[in-house]
């Protein structure tokens, strides 16, 4: 007989607490970002495919100015805990609020460039800086 006893529930909580205590800071931040993407109703970046129209959310890891074919392009790496993608605004040297550590929601069509997921000129919404 495989009856579940009431003592199994605390062991599950205890196991989750131990897992959180033994996890690295990076693992905890990744888990938080994945949960944030789920609650915002966004697609996980790791689940995105070429030519798919998506709405994703995450944290900007890097922001750089890198010309593409002689045109200025602001590039940022967006990470959501599952994977990263490059967000590129063509013809822009800077955008107020687009900086490393900032959270945002971006929408557009995914394309693949050199084996990486890329969103060109997405619609975007900056997330609040502090905790909600």
């Amino acid at each position: 007989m495989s009856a579940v006893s009431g003592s199994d529930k605390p062991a599950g909580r205890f196991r989750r607490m131990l897992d959180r205590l033994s996890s690295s800071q990076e693992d905890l931040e990744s888990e938080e970002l994945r949960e944030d993407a789920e609650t915002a109703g966004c697609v996980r970046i790791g689940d995105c495919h070429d030519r798919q129209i998506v709405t994703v959310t995450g944290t900007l890891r890097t922001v750089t100015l890198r010309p593409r074919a002689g045109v200025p392009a602001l590039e940022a790496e967006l990470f959501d805990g599952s994977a990263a993608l490059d967000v590129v605004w063509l013809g822009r040297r800077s955008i107020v609020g687009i900086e490393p550590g900032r959270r945002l929601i971006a929408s557009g069509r995914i394309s693949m460039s050199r084996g990486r997921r890329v969103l060109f000129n997405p619609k975007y919404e900056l997330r609040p800086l502090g905790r909600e």
Side-chain angles (χ1 to χ4, degrees):
M1 190 186 279
S2 61
V4 177
S5 66
S7 63
D8 287 344
K9 200 165 211 160
R13 286 188 202 131
F14 183 68
R15 167 52 71 198
R16 284 193 301 273
M17 184 179 71
L18 279 178
D19 288 344
R20 287 190 64 83
L21 290 174
S22 63
S23 297
S24 70
Q25 184 65 27
E26 185 176 324
D27 291 340
L28 293 174
E29 289 172 1
S30 293
E31 181 181 336
E32 182 182 326
L33 288 170
R34 285 190 298 269
E35 289 172 0
D36 185 44
E38 186 177 311
T39 57
C42 296
V43 177
R44 289 179 24 172
I45 294 172
D47 297 336
C48 296
H49 303 289
D50 191 27
R51 308 295 301 152
Q52 180 181 6
I53 297 175
V54 297
T55 299
V56 294
T57 187
T59 300
L60 296 176
R61 283 182 165 173
T62 61
V63 178
T64 56
L65 176 62
R66 184 171 301 143
R68 287 182 174 249
V71 176
L74 185 64
E75 292 188 11
E77 182 183 67
L78 184 69
F79 181 70
D80 76 345
S82 68
L85 70 80
D86 295 328
V87 182
V88 179
W89 289 274
L90 298 170
R92 301 297 298 263
R93 294 184 188 279
S94 66
I95 299 173
V96 176
I98 300 297
E99 56 196 30
R102 188 67 189 253
R103 289 188 178 191
L104 65 85
I105 296 174
S107 300
R109 186 178 301 271
I110 294 283
S111 63
M112 298 297 285
S113 177
R114 297 184 200 111
R116 290 185 55 94
R117 295 172 183 92
V118 183
L119 267 178
F120 286 100
N121 296 322
K123 294 179 188 174
Y124 68 95
E125 174 185 332
L126 296 173
R127 305 288 301 272
L129 288 173
R131 282 266 173 189
E132 296 173 24

